[in-house]
Amino acid sequence: KNQVEQSPQSLIILEGKNCTLQCNYTVSPFSNLRWYKQDTGRGPVSLTIMTFSENTKSNGRYTATLDADTKQSSLHITASQLSDSASYICVVSGDGGDKIIFGKGTRLHILP
Amino acid sequence: ETGVTQTPRHLVMGMTNKKSLKCEQHLGHNAMYWYKQSAKKPLELMFVYSLEERVENNSVPSRFSPECPNSSHLFLHLHTLQPEDSALYLCASSQVLEMTAPTDFGPGTRLTVT
């Protein structure tokens, strides 16, 4: 069964600290993996998308990594800011067919 | 976010009401989507349109009826909903229909069914 599991479910860190969010998947064959940021009361905003051949991609203070062998991705946030408080959603797309699987997301709270 | 707009942002309706959600994208995209987002659950794909043709209906109950009059507009007509239909309904778009999640989402309509 194609699945996307995100951890932790929620995370609280102090402003200025770094953090890493995890995404493990079983979708096969793999096509691409996208990370979204979703602020409360808003729609998701795409942060990065990675294909099989890419193992790291950055967008400002956000860096996503992908290990297609172990089927794991992480999203690292550097020097967190209050505006980083949001849900972060991992989405994995399979190659062919109708496999676009969303994770449940990680809720990140940044405390001042 | 301003590339995809949704109205209304909030809607409260009774189970016997009929209402419609509207989505408009200003990005020149050819693919549009409706998603349902319930608390603590992954986003659920409801409908996909490509060049105004419905290409996917993800086993959605008939009380939800989509309409895509042109490539910029998408509607979701609602009738005789149930309380469990209360959720955030998100519209999304992509340049073309492809095997990846949409690139742009709207802000959503928060629907409460009483």
Side-chain angles (χ1 to χ4, degrees):
Chain A
K1 182 181 176 183
N2 291 309
Q3 287 186 309
V4 174
E5 300 287 342
Q6 290 189 245
S7 62
Q9 194 171 36
S10 64
L11 181 62
I12 302 173
I13 64 171
L14 293 175
E15 185 180 12
K17 298 295 185 183
N18 303 335
C19 66
T20 301
L21 314 180
Q22 297 290 344
C23 175
N24 297 339
Y25 62 92
T26 59
V27 179
S28 182
F30 172 84
S31 176
N32 59 79
L33 184 147
R34 190 189 293 271
W35 282 94
Y36 290 97
K37 177 189 179 189
Q38 185 175 19
D39 293 317
T40 302
R42 298 197 171 186
V45 174
S46 181
L47 295 174
T48 65
I49 181 170
M50 290 183 291
T51 59
F52 184 88
S53 59
E54 298 171 296
N55 53 25
T56 186
K57 186 170 277 191
S58 292
N59 179 354
R61 293 179 297 102
Y62 301 102
T63 299
T65 64
L66 173 66
D67 185 334
D69 291 330
T70 61
K71 296 183 169 56
Q72 295 180 325
S73 176
S74 65
L75 181 68
H76 185 76
I77 304 175
T78 303
S80 61
Q81 300 176 0
L82 296 178
S83 59
D84 294 328
S85 294
S87 289
Y88 292 84
I89 301 171
C90 172
V91 186
V92 181
S93 299
D95 193 7
D98 56 352
K99 301 179 215 174
I100 298 178
I101 311 296
F102 282 77
K104 291 183 180 180
T106 292
R107 180 69 194 165
L108 177 64
H109 301 269
I110 310 297
L111 299 179
Chain B
E1 183 179 306
T2 55
V4 181
T5 58
Q6 291 187 241
T7 55
R9 294 293 307 277
H10 302 272
L11 178 62
V12 179
M13 59 186 289
M15 289 189 284
T16 58
N17 291 158
K18 286 185 180 181
K19 296 286 184 183
S20 295
L21 310 185
K22 179 183 175 182
C23 174
E24 184 174 0
Q25 56 97 359
H26 314 272
L27 301 167
H29 288 173
N30 290 323
M32 295 188 77
Y33 312 73
W34 279 117
Y35 282 87
K36 176 183 179 183
Q37 187 175 35
S38 304
K40 298 186 179 180
K41 292 176 71 175
L43 268 75
E44 300 170 53
L45 178 64
M46 300 176 72
F47 301 104
V48 182
Y49 278 82
S50 177
L51 296 171
E52 301 148 50
E53 266 197 51
R54 190 192 307 183
V55 296
E56 183 156 347
N57 175 351
N58 210 24
S59 303
V60 179
S62 59
R63 58 185 183 270
F64 295 91
S65 174
E67 179 190 0
C68 187
N70 55 62
S71 59
S72 299
H73 294 85
L74 187 64
F75 295 90
L76 188 63
H77 304 298
L78 317 171
H79 66 97
T80 58
L81 294 190
Q82 305 298 310
E84 60 264 29
D85 296 323
S86 298
L88 183 67
Y89 288 85
L90 291 161
C91 175
S93 71
S94 288
Q95 181 66 50
V96 294
L97 184 64
E98 53 188 345
M99 267 319 293
T100 184
T103 54
D104 296 89
F105 278 85
T109 295
R110 172 66 63 184
L111 173 67
T112 303
V113 181
T114 60

